[in-house]
Structures are given as C-alpha cells and as structure tokens.
Amino acid sequence: MKENDNAIELQDVCIHYYIMNNISIRKTFLQKRKRNEVFEAVKHVTFSVRKGDILGIIGKNGSGKSTLLKSIAGVFSPNAGTIDLKGHSVSLMSLGVGFKDTLSGRENIVLSGMLLGFSEKEIEDRAQEIIDFAGIGEFIDRPVRTYSSGMYSKLAFSITAMLETDIMLVDEVLSVGDEQFRQKSLNKMKELINDRKRTVIIVSHSISTLKELCDQVLWLHDGEVRRIGEADEVLKEYEAFMAAAGKN
C-alpha cells in the first residue's frame, strides 16, 4: 500500500485527562492542593485508513473509542503523537457534539454546515433535503435543547449524510432513534459507502452493524489497540473475549 493511498494516519497518539479531586473550596485554602490524577484515555495508538475504506472501532465502555474519534475530528488535540487527515474535510456524527442548544434545528443546520466549510449557498441548496430526511416535523424550528435523543440523532445524521465531506466519523448514532429511522440511516450509510468516495470510521457496540459495513475493525481495549484487521476475524475474537469476560 502506497503512503498516498491513506486518507487518515495516526502515529503514537496519546490522550489523557486530569481527574480533579473533589474537595471543598475551604479545604483548598487550608490544605496543600493534591496533585490531580492523570487518566490515560488513549495510549500510543497507531493506525491508518485508506481512501474509501470503512474502519469500525469496537471495545467495551471506557476503552477510549469516542475520545479517539473526537480527536480525529479536531474537537481537541492529542497530548502526544500525530493525526494526519491529508488535507481532507471531516465531519463528526455524534450525540452532544456540534449543536448550539439555544438555536433551532434549522439554524443548527446552517451553523454545522459553515463549521464544515460549506458556503451558505451550498447549505441552502441541501437544507430541505436534510430537513426531509430528519423527519422531525415542527421541531426543526424549535431549540435543540427541547429535542429527545432520538430527534437529536436524526438531525445529526441527516446533516452529516447530506453535506458530503471526504471523511465521515460516526459515533453510535446508527443505534439511536426509532427502528424505522435506524433502518433508513443504515440504508443511507450503505449508499454513501458503496460509492467509495468517502472514508468512514464507525464507532459502535453493534457487532452486526460493523460486520455488515466495515472492511476492517480496530479493537480498542483500555485505551490501547488490542487488534486491527479484517472485520470478521477481529469481531469473532472480540465476541469470544467478551463472552469469556462475562463468565468471570
């Protein structure tokens, strides 16, 4: 594989958080402040994704999956290592990311589109398509703080699916919402993937979804790459691991 075939390259990426000690303001003044504990969420992760490929990321809760995805999206920078998107545009489809709660759904379509680098004319041309696909009715003109998680995910998916970026990052959104919308989203994702114009990373706990959509799967365990390879092989090993863990 030639280096220039890659759309995404991560090299030795580390991400950590400071865990703030839960002490009162009074104690803060009366005592010497204890050093805050560091939690390593992502540890020395290295991998690449070729243009047009679909990579799934799986792992138990707390493995660093969403943290890693947000860093790839540029929500925050890693503490160490490099993330190279080769100049490609990127969008993150994730609950709780990118929307301004006080703005309406319609206004958030414009805001999200502009943040993705689209012109007002480009957003205007696709706005009705986004609204129709989301199917949230009159809520499109209400503040998104009034939305259920299902409506939020519908709008998030619709914006990212209709405003086509080079790289799409999907964080569990395919598993949220009613059954009809989940099927519609899955069909739309297949459509986007099949033309091989986009590079996609999907974070999900759904083995069936990753098996159906992905070329390769990265298994992240406690912030580290446990394995990366062909989807069927990695998912089979992951299933066996989780089954064994459940017995202990």
Side-chain angles (χ1 to χ4, degrees):
M1 182 179 68
K2 296 179 181 178
E3 185 178 350
N4 60 10
D5 287 336
N6 292 336
I8 304 170
E9 291 182 358
L10 275 71
Q11 183 66 42
D12 203 30
V13 169
C14 299
I15 304 168
H16 64 249
Y17 300 110
Y18 288 101
I19 302 174
M20 304 300 290
N21 294 312
N22 186 18
I23 58 175
S24 68
I25 295 176
R26 182 172 180 271
K27 287 184 177 180
T28 300
F29 285 105
L30 295 178
Q31 301 176 7
K32 289 185 178 179
R33 178 174 292 180
K34 295 180 181 179
R35 183 174 296 174
N36 293 317
E37 182 183 350
V38 174
F39 172 69
E40 295 180 277
V42 175
K43 310 169 188 175
H44 306 286
V45 168
T46 297
F47 68 88
S48 61
V49 187
R50 292 179 300 183
K51 293 177 184 177
D53 275 5
I54 305 98
L55 174 72
I57 301 181
I58 201 166
K60 66 180 184 178
N61 289 332
S63 295
K65 305 183 298 298
S66 295
T67 297
L68 181 62
L69 209 64
K70 289 175 184 176
S71 192
I72 296 172
V75 175
F76 51 78
S77 300
N79 298 93
T82 59
I83 298 174
D84 188 355
L85 304 183
K86 305 296 180 179
H88 295 112
S89 58
V90 60
S91 57
L92 172 63
M93 192 186 304
S94 175
L95 292 180
V97 174
F99 286 168
K100 181 80 170 173
D101 284 351
T102 56
L103 298 181
S104 69
R106 192 184 301 274
E107 291 168 326
N108 271 292
I109 291 173
V110 176
L111 177 62
S112 297
M114 293 182 73
L115 289 173
L116 291 173
F118 292 91
S119 68
E120 288 190 49
K121 179 65 167 59
E122 288 171 322
I123 300 166
E124 182 182 331
D125 289 344
R126 305 304 294 270
Q128 192 57 51
E129 189 178 0
I130 293 168
I131 292 168
D132 291 343
F133 192 93
I136 59 174
E138 62 186 18
F139 277 91
I140 195 64
D141 291 308
R142 296 182 184 178
V144 297
R145 68 169 181 267
T146 66
Y147 288 14
S148 66
S149 61
M151 287 188 288
Y152 201 108
S153 68
K154 287 178 179 181
L155 186 58
F157 182 92
S158 301
I159 291 172
T160 308
M162 304 305 168
L163 295 176
E164 299 179 5
T165 54
D166 301 318
I167 298 171
M168 179 192 289
L169 309 175
V170 183
D171 189 2
E172 290 291 356
V173 174
L174 291 176
S175 63
V176 182
D178 56 81
E179 181 57 38
Q180 183 179 1
F181 188 80
R182 282 200 295 270
Q183 190 58 51
K184 186 165 74 167
S185 299
L186 187 60
N187 291 339
K188 184 63 179 179
M189 183 65 72
K190 289 177 183 176
E191 178 188 321
L192 293 170
I193 286 170
N194 285 338
D195 64 16
R196 290 293 173 172
K197 291 180 182 178
R198 279 179 161 180
T199 305
V200 183
I201 298 180
I202 303 173
V203 165
S204 180
H205 287 289
S206 172
I207 290 173
S208 61
T209 297
L210 296 183
K211 191 176 292 186
E212 184 174 2
L213 296 179
C214 300
D215 302 302
Q216 291 196 314
V217 168
L218 183 154
W219 173 7
L220 205 60
H221 183 74
D222 291 341
E224 298 178 301
V225 176
R226 183 73 172 254
R227 190 176 173 194
I228 185 170
E230 295 298 318
D232 286 344
E233 295 177 8
V234 176
L235 291 171
K236 183 177 180 180
E237 187 174 330
Y238 175 75
E239 281 187 288
F241 172 82
M242 293 302 289
K247 294 177 182 178
N248 295 332

